[in-house]
Amino acid sequence: MNIGWIGLGNMGRVMAENLVKADQRLFIYNRTKTKAESLVNIGATFCEDPSKVVYFSDVIITMVSDDDAVKSVYSSEGGLLKNGDVQGKLFIDMSTVSPETSQSIADQCEKMGAYFLDAPVSGSVKPAKEGNLVIMIGGKKDVYENVLPLFDILGKKSLYLGDNGSGSIAKLAINLLLGITIQGIAESILFAEKHGITREEMMTIINESAVGTDISQIKTENILKNEYPAAFPLKHMTKDLGLVKNTGTISPLAKAVEEAFRLALEDGLGEQDVMGITDYLSENKFSKLT
């Protein structure tokens, strides 16, 4: 089975690398060709045009930044569904997008005799390198089952959740929990710090208690250094929380977290890691939150 991969951000590049290391024949495309060099060096084939990826591949995986990018990749002039015969091919989108976008692309694929799965992942670059992602699947169950070995290479667990759009809903739900957790950690350490408890002391308490999580442990070093290089950029979390809001969530926590991240983005923190929300939630900026 020949596999195509389009979109080589940090996560996508690592996941594509795992496929090559598992002896999968991989055809890749990215607008910035230099991002493909490490994959070409280990055996992937770079295509100068996305249509060539489709031509040579049985399964085409896309992983790009947002809804607009997904729509452009699939549906624009020169998009994957606009050039050549796609009948019988399977397209898998692993981007984080709205369920409406996933359903729309699935409908377009079906009309052209192709198959489509929305399959976003939970995890960041480190779990991706280790093959420890959780993959959430929406689409036809038999189509999912036919490519289960592929998902087994990319993640530690894949879950079939229902029709197209189900994977996207699940991804928004898990990222909502992530946003709430990240902001909760930030608010806890800032509250403690204000009253004389150091960040180091508070992070020890959090990590050793029942509320400690993998994410609190992963972010401890950044919190203590007050440095937030992006593993998962704040701008992407803000986008995801906006999708949650637009999908119809009215819960108090969802509204509050979306507002905080949106204001942090407007304050210029978009390129920091999500834990950079700590910088925004400093005492002199609480007044901006309504």
Side-chain angles (χ1 to χ4, degrees):
M1 179 171 61
N2 291 347
I3 302 169
W5 193 290
I6 294 175
L8 296 174
N10 292 338
M11 283 279 289
R13 192 161 57 249
V14 169
M15 294 167 69
E17 184 177 309
N18 285 344
L19 291 175
V20 178
K21 289 179 177 178
D23 296 323
Q24 301 295 316
R25 191 176 182 194
L26 192 68
F27 297 86
I28 57 177
Y29 171 79
N30 194 71
R31 286 182 299 178
T32 306
K33 189 174 180 179
T34 54
K35 290 187 176 182
E37 289 176 353
S38 62
L39 289 164
V40 172
N41 290 340
I42 62 172
T45 300
F46 185 81
C47 298
E48 297 290 344
D49 188 280
S51 64
K52 297 297 184 183
V53 175
V54 175
Y55 178 80
F56 288 117
S57 304
D58 306 297
V59 177
I60 300 93
I61 299 172
T62 55
M63 193 172 196
V64 294
S65 58
D66 55 27
D67 287 64
D68 288 342
V70 168
K71 292 173 184 176
S72 177
V73 163
Y74 281 92
S75 307
S76 67
E77 192 68 30
L80 301 181
L81 302 179
K82 300 295 184 179
N83 289 278
D85 183 14
V86 298
Q87 188 167 1
K89 294 183 182 289
L90 169 59
F91 294 88
I92 302 174
D93 183 44
M94 306 192 85
S95 315
T96 302
V97 296
S98 70
E100 291 80 12
T101 292
S102 294
Q103 291 159 357
S104 174
I105 302 300
D107 290 343
Q108 293 175 54
C109 286
E110 185 171 9
K111 289 176 182 177
M112 302 185 72
Y115 305 98
F116 180 80
L117 297 173
D118 45 286
V121 303
S122 178
S124 57
V125 173
K126 185 174 184 292
K129 286 181 179 179
E130 297 168 348
N132 283 334
L133 299 171
V134 176
I135 308 171
M136 297 154 277
I137 315 294
K140 294 182 178 179
K141 189 173 185 179
D142 60 333
V143 174
Y144 158 68
E145 290 173 342
N146 285 338
V147 289
L148 184 55
L150 186 61
F151 291 126
D152 287 342
I153 295 170
L154 295 172
K156 66 179 179 180
K157 190 173 187 63
S158 63
L159 295 95
Y160 174 75
L161 300 168
D163 293 338
N164 285 115
S166 300
S168 296
I169 286 287
K171 178 57 187 289
L172 295 183
I174 195 65
N175 275 14
L176 172 59
L177 178 57
L178 176 60
I180 291 170
T181 302
I182 290 291
Q183 184 162 328
I185 293 169
E187 292 192 20
S188 294
I189 62 171
L190 289 171
F191 172 77
E193 198 169 46
K194 180 181 177 180
H195 295 281
I197 298 170
T198 68
R199 291 190 178 194
E200 184 172 10
E201 290 167 335
M202 197 62 220
M203 289 310 301
T204 298
I205 293 166
I206 290 172
N207 289 330
E208 295 296 329
S209 72
V211 299
T213 64
D214 285 348
I215 197 67
S216 67
Q217 293 172 7
I218 290 169
K219 299 301 182 185
T220 294
E221 183 177 354
N222 301 115
I223 291 167
L224 297 185
K225 291 182 177 179
N226 201 31
E227 297 175 355
Y228 306 104
F232 178 28
L234 186 145
K235 64 182 180 182
H236 293 331
M237 174 58 79
T238 306
K239 180 263 296 182
D240 295 348
L241 293 171
L243 290 174
V244 170
K245 179 181 178 180
N246 293 339
T247 304
T249 292
I250 57 172
S251 70
L253 278 176
K255 290 171 67 177
V257 171
E258 187 276 333
E259 182 181 22
F261 274 87
R262 175 168 44 82
L263 290 172
L265 179 66
E266 293 172 1
D267 206 48
L269 301 180
E271 298 300 330
Q272 288 196 20
D273 185 69
V274 286
M275 203 66 239
I277 193 69
T278 310
D279 275 353
Y280 182 75
L281 293 173
S282 57
E283 185 175 6
N284 64 333
K285 293 180 180 176
F286 282 157
S287 60
K288 289 187 180 181
L289 297 175
T290 57

